[in-house]
């Protein structure tokens, strides 16, 4: 088989596995397809990362999941989805130090990754209680994801609930946390106009 045909077969199996897992919730069948994909083309970290995810979330085999995550990262140390997934995996195991390391490492490899910024913001908020760091990460994520209403909503909620005393100097005048939160709510509505009003 040509390299192109092999890659195509691998990608089709992986897409089908995603469909089985995410749309049908048939995780055992999905795992079988991912294993087939790995057998067809063992050098793609995407299938190995997905298999690790299934092992962790649905088969609860942490030791084997850890092995596959590390294999994916070893195969391609710059493969950001594996790094971010491994950070979340470590957080799931309550290893905060390792989670912190891999969130930072993910952002080092891809400083503009808004998904990683958001995940790290949530980590800093919930597990480190570092509100200034969380705020900075939330705002960076929101600035890069104009079309994601959930990010704007989460930042608005964070400002309102966690940092109500926060003020920012803009054009010689202080802007309150509630005004900044309102800006984010407007952006959320613009990002998702078909949703019911977020102001209600």
């Amino acid at each position: 088989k040509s390299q192109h045909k092999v890659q195509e077969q691998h990608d089709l199996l992986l897409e089908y596995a995603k469909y089985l897992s995410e749309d049908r919730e048939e995780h055992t069948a999905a795992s079988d397809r991912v294993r087939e994909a790995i057998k067809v083309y063992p050098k793609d970290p995407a299938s190995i990362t997905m298999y690790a995810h299934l092992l962790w979330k649905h088969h609860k085999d942490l030791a084997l999941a850890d092995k596959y995550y590390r294999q994916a990262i070893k195969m391609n140390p710059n493969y950001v989805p594996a790094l971010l997934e491994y950070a979340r995996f470590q957080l799931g195991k309550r290893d905060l130090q390792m989670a912190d390391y891999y969130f930072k490492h993910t952002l080092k490899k891809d400083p503009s990754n808004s998904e990683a910024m958001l995940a790290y913001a949530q980590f800093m908020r919930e597990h480190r209680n570092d509100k200034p760091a969380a705020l900075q990460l939330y705002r960076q994520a929101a600035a890069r994801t104009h079309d994601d209403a959930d990010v704007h909503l989460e930042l608005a909620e964070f400002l309102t609930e966690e940092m109500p005393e926060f003020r920012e100097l803009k054009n010689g005048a202080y802007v309150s946390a509630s005004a900044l939160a309102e800006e984010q709510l407007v952006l959320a509505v613009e990002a998702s106009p078909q949703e019911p009003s977020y102001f209600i």
Side-chain angles (χ1 to χ4, degrees), residues 6 13 21 26 37 41 45 49 58 64 66 81 83 86 90 106 118 121-122 126 146 159 186:
V6 166
L13 283 163
S21 179
E26 294 176 13
Y41 186 61
T49 302
H58 303 294
L64 201 54
D66 189 81
L83 294 169
Y86 199 48
Q90 294 298 339
T106 303
L118 185 61
Q122 291 160 346
E126 293 163 22
H146 302 293
L159 282 162
V186 170

Side-chain angles (χ1 to χ4, degrees), residues 76-111:
N76 183 351
N78 297 313
Y79 184 60
V80 166
L83 294 169
L84 182 54
E85 265 281 304
Y86 199 48
R88 288 175 167 144
F89 174 72
Q90 294 298 339
L91 182 56
K93 291 201 308 176
R94 312 297 298 172
D95 189 335
L96 300 186
Q97 201 171 340
M98 282 289 277
D100 199 331
Y101 172 82
Y102 276 97
F103 280 128
K104 275 187 192 145
H105 194 56
T106 303
L107 284 167
K108 202 171 171 182
K109 294 288 182 186
D110 185 1

Side-chain angles (χ1 to χ4, degrees), residues 14-27:
L14 206 55
E15 279 305 311
Y16 187 47
K18 279 180 192 167
Y19 163 72
L20 287 171
S21 179
E22 292 168 15
D23 297 351
R24 301 277 297 273
E25 295 191 7
E26 294 176 13
H27 306 300

Side-chain angles (χ1 to χ4, degrees), residues 75 121 123 190:
M75 186 177 286
F123 175 82
E190 286 170 359

Side-chain angles (χ1 to χ4, degrees), residues 112-132:
S112 63
N113 189 305
S114 55
E115 189 187 349
M117 279 172 203
L118 185 61
Y120 197 30
Q122 291 160 346
F123 175 82
M124 295 307 276
R125 175 185 185 177
E126 293 163 22
H127 301 283
R128 292 286 191 238
N129 199 30
D130 188 338
K131 291 176 186 177

Side-chain angles (χ1 to χ4, degrees), residues 159-172:
L159 282 162
T160 307
E161 292 186 10
E162 307 267 354
M163 300 192 77
E165 305 302 315
F166 180 76
R167 294 189 309 163
E168 183 175 68
L169 194 59
K170 266 188 183 178
N171 304 321

